[in-house]
Amino acid sequence: MRHLCDVAPEGALPYPVFSGSDATGALLSLWRRDWRQAVVIGDETTATLRGEALGAALQARGCEVLTLRFPAGERHKTRATKERLEDAMHAARIERGACVVAVGGGVVLDLAGFVAATYHRGIAHVNVATTLLAQIDAAIGGKTGVDTPHGKNLVGAFHQPRAVLLDHDALATLPEDERRNGLAEAVKHATLSDAGLFATLEAWDGHGALPSEDVIARCVAIKAEIVGKDARDRGVRNTLNFGHTVAHALEAASGHVLAHGRAVAIGLVVESRVAAALGGFPPADVERIAALLARLGLPTRPALPFSEALPYFASDKKGSGSAIRCALPSRLGEVHPVDGSYTRSVTLEALEAAWC
Ligand SMILES: NC(=O)c1ccc[n+]([C@@H]2O[C@H](COP(=O)([O-])OP(=O)(O)OC[C@H]3O[C@@H](n4cnc5c(N)ncnc54)[C@H](O)[C@@H]3O)[C@@H](O)[C@H]2O)c1
Ligand SMILES: [Zn+2]
């Protein structure tokens, strides 16, 4: 694997991001001698696809390995699954010096990272990202957590991994729909920080591999830089929520059936339309974002009326004049704070007007 960059979050150890083939070799070379126990956590797909081989390699090195799995899908990113994993770890006498190896997409990394954050008040973990979405977003930055019936990611912790491995070989088995979900976050990163990357995505001719290793590396660099400036989501990291206020409401309203990437694609269009209506963001760029997402095979319109998503927006009141906060770009490739904040107040009326 190739060393892409180091992430240096405030208040945590800096950690490397590796990318390419041979995740097993990379894991063995970064493994610390004092991690005598490994807890490999995957979903039912990723545990078989990668987790077992990683566990076997660690075991051959003399490490005690416990492999745990849970059913795939956002519906299982819950406190109940977390409890089941933790109980299995206690039953196997996993100690404070163990390291969790999270193997999978964003669901696995968020959940296994949260297990690592709270088990014995926090143990080490390494992320092995097997979906495109996880490689360009979820694996980096230390946001861990689970969903609740009240909404997405409502219980969680900041807990940075010790290393991140972006497993390119795994992408060969990734279903097409899942690849597209990852591209939604690439469009987000490009819209926020890199107009050149946006143009690269637009220039894709529909054939050949997308994203290229270069596109993945550019997305990782954007995320790593933002996390390095604001690990705790108090400032510039808020910008990464662009599209997500709407996306999280759509996901919750669908009972977590709508995939995160697809919800983000719709959220990017609705929220960029809000940014244009508030002034500053060029309406022509809203059209560029919608056209790019459509060409990448992603949805661009909410499939349900605003009234059905409304209960899932985190607003104090739902009546006229109430507002929520959205992270909005200033123009393609740029976000600037407004009155010192990277989020802006958006009335529910303005959001409804952009809902088409
Ligand atoms: N923590 C963060 O900063 C952050 C950022 C973005 C998204 N997220 C979270 O990530 C989640 C979405 O992640 P996701 O899109 O990766 O979904 P996911 O983890 O559910 O993976 C999607 C599907 O692909 C399967 N899969 C994974 N790797 C595979 C492979 N190599 N080959 C074949 N199948 C494979 C999984 O089993 C699953 O069925 C959401 O919960 C979202 O909130 C977190
Ligand atoms: Zn996201």
Side-chain angles (χ1 to χ4, degrees):
M1 283 194 154
R2 182 163 73 98
H3 176 245
L4 273 191
C5 62
D6 288 317
V7 186
E10 197 188 339
L13 294 169
Y15 55 91
V17 181
F18 295 98
S19 159
S21 297
D22 191 18
T24 305
L27 184 68
L28 290 179
S29 46
L30 66 81
W31 197 259
R32 287 171 44 148
R33 280 167 157 269
D34 56 341
W35 292 338
R36 293 209 185 84
Q37 294 177 307
V39 184
V40 178
I41 301 180
D43 65 28
E44 271 163 7
T45 303
T46 62
T48 306
L49 187 77
R50 272 287 175 280
E52 286 169 3
L54 293 170
L58 289 170
Q59 207 155 22
R61 275 280 188 91
C63 187
E64 182 189 330
V65 176
L66 172 69
T67 301
L68 299 174
R69 62 188 77 209
F70 60 92
E74 187 78 34
R75 281 187 309 115
H76 299 282
K77 195 176 117 179
T78 59
R79 284 172 287 189
T81 309
K82 178 172 183 272
E83 191 177 309
R84 200 170 56 70
L85 296 171
E86 290 159 347
D87 287 347
M89 288 164 66
H90 284 298
R93 303 194 179 285
I94 298 299
E95 293 166 6
R96 182 163 300 171
C99 178
V100 167
V101 181
V103 186
V107 165
V108 173
L109 305 190
D110 280 10
L111 178 54
F114 191 28
V115 168
T118 59
Y119 191 80
H120 283 315
R121 299 197 178 83
I123 63 175
H125 74 296
V126 171
N127 282 338
V128 182
T130 64
T131 65
L132 177 59
L133 188 141
Q135 295 186 3
I136 64 176
D137 203 335
I140 299 154
K143 274 194 187 179
T144 71
V146 294
D147 305 331
T148 81
H150 294 277
K152 285 261 306 176
N153 303 332
L154 292 185
V155 180
F158 288 102
H159 190 59
Q160 301 290 343
R162 296 301 187 90
V164 175
L165 307 181
L166 312 183
D167 184 344
H168 281 207
D169 295 343
L171 298 183
T173 54
L174 192 69
E176 181 60 21
D177 271 357
E178 297 301 344
R179 192 181 61 88
R180 291 193 177 128
N181 286 333
L183 289 172
E185 301 278 16
V187 173
K188 176 191 78 175
H189 287 320
T191 305
L192 291 172
S193 309
D194 191 338
L197 175 59
F198 195 95
T200 301
L201 292 169
E202 283 182 315
W204 182 55
D205 64 3
H207 302 286
L210 187 80
S212 61
E213 285 204 27
D214 175 55
V215 166
I216 295 177
R218 283 158 83 178
C219 288
V220 167
I222 291 167
K223 177 108 192 220
E225 189 189 344
I226 290 175
V227 170
K229 286 182 182 155
D230 172 26
R232 292 253 158 188
D233 218 359
R234 295 194 182 104
V236 69
R237 188 166 181 178
N238 292 169
T239 61
L240 295 173
N241 280 331
F242 170 44
H244 283 59
T245 304
V246 167
H248 286 167
L250 290 174
E251 287 178 79
S254 79
H256 300 297
V257 169
L258 180 66
H260 181 68
R262 295 173 74 78
V264 167
I266 298 165
L268 295 177
V269 177
V270 172
E271 293 186 24
S272 61
R273 205 174 277 134
V274 168
L278 288 181
F281 194 77
D285 288 345
V286 179
E287 298 315 316
R288 271 180 80 184
I289 292 170
L292 174 57
L293 291 165
R295 221 163 73 75
L296 296 174
L298 287 157
T300 57
R301 287 167 193 277
L304 75 186
F306 181 71
S307 57
E308 284 180 29
L310 184 59
Y312 298 96
F313 285 107
S315 155
D316 327 349
K317 359 178 218 121
K318 303 291 175 199
S320 145
S322 49
I324 53 167
R325 296 200 74 83
C326 292
L328 303 172
S330 313
R331 62 174 65 94
L332 211 61
E334 287 178 38
V335 191
H336 302 292
V338 177
D339 299 329
S341 172
Y342 284 96
T343 59
R344 292 177 74 177
S345 177
V346 174
T347 64
L348 294 177
E349 285 78 5
L351 197 57
E352 186 170 14
W355 200 266
C356 50

